[in-house]
Amino acid sequence: MLGRIALTMVCALACGQAFAGPKDDMLAADRAFSYLSVKSGAHAAFLAYMADDVRLFDGDHPPIMGKAAAAAWYADVEKKNPGGEKASTLQWTPLEADASPDGVLGYTRGTWIYSGTKKDGSAQRVTGYYVTEWKRQSDGKYKFVLDIGGADGP
């Protein structure tokens, strides 16, 4: 009897993972994206997970259109503040996802936390929210094509 219960549980877990849908795949991609941001820096993570035709909106500057423009903007930021990227952490937690019926497009929504150092050397912690639109690529993996974020109020 115990053997049947254990076998049933193993099958249920395996089948559940086999039937993971686009929403789960997007949530997993978003979690892996955040993990890479903490491990390797936000700029490296964003470049790794963005599609070539990405649109980035953060409210602090005009939208960044395209991966090449994002890479140039990140390089300029790092040139103006050498080591700043490594001295800060951006991590986020996706709270929900939804996807088109065919699973090609969808979004994740969640909250983020930035920890770093201000120019005067004091600690800085900012929190906010985001929405990221994901598009399944020809290899079946998701890359984001749109990212919109904002900071919580003071």
Side-chain angles (χ1 to χ4, degrees), residues 87-131:
S88 64
T89 303
L90 177 63
Q91 62 186 33
W92 54 92
T93 304
L95 302 174
E96 71 172 324
D98 203 357
S100 61
D102 63 2
V104 173
L105 290 174
Y107 73 87
T108 53
R109 175 190 71 81
T111 58
W112 56 263
I113 300 171
Y114 169 84
S115 302
T117 306
K118 296 180 185 177
K119 290 181 180 181
D120 67 6
S122 63
Q124 180 180 29
R125 185 175 194 275
V126 182
T127 61
Y129 52 88
Y130 72 92
V131 175

Side-chain angles (χ1 to χ4, degrees), residues 50-82:
M50 68 177 56
D52 290 339
D53 59 346
V54 70
R55 304 294 188 253
L56 299 172
F57 298 84
D58 69 3
D60 287 339
H61 49 76
I64 297 172
M65 312 295 256
K67 188 172 186 174
W73 188 77
Y74 294 153
D76 188 51
V77 167
E78 291 170 15
K79 185 177 178 183
K80 291 177 184 173
N81 185 17

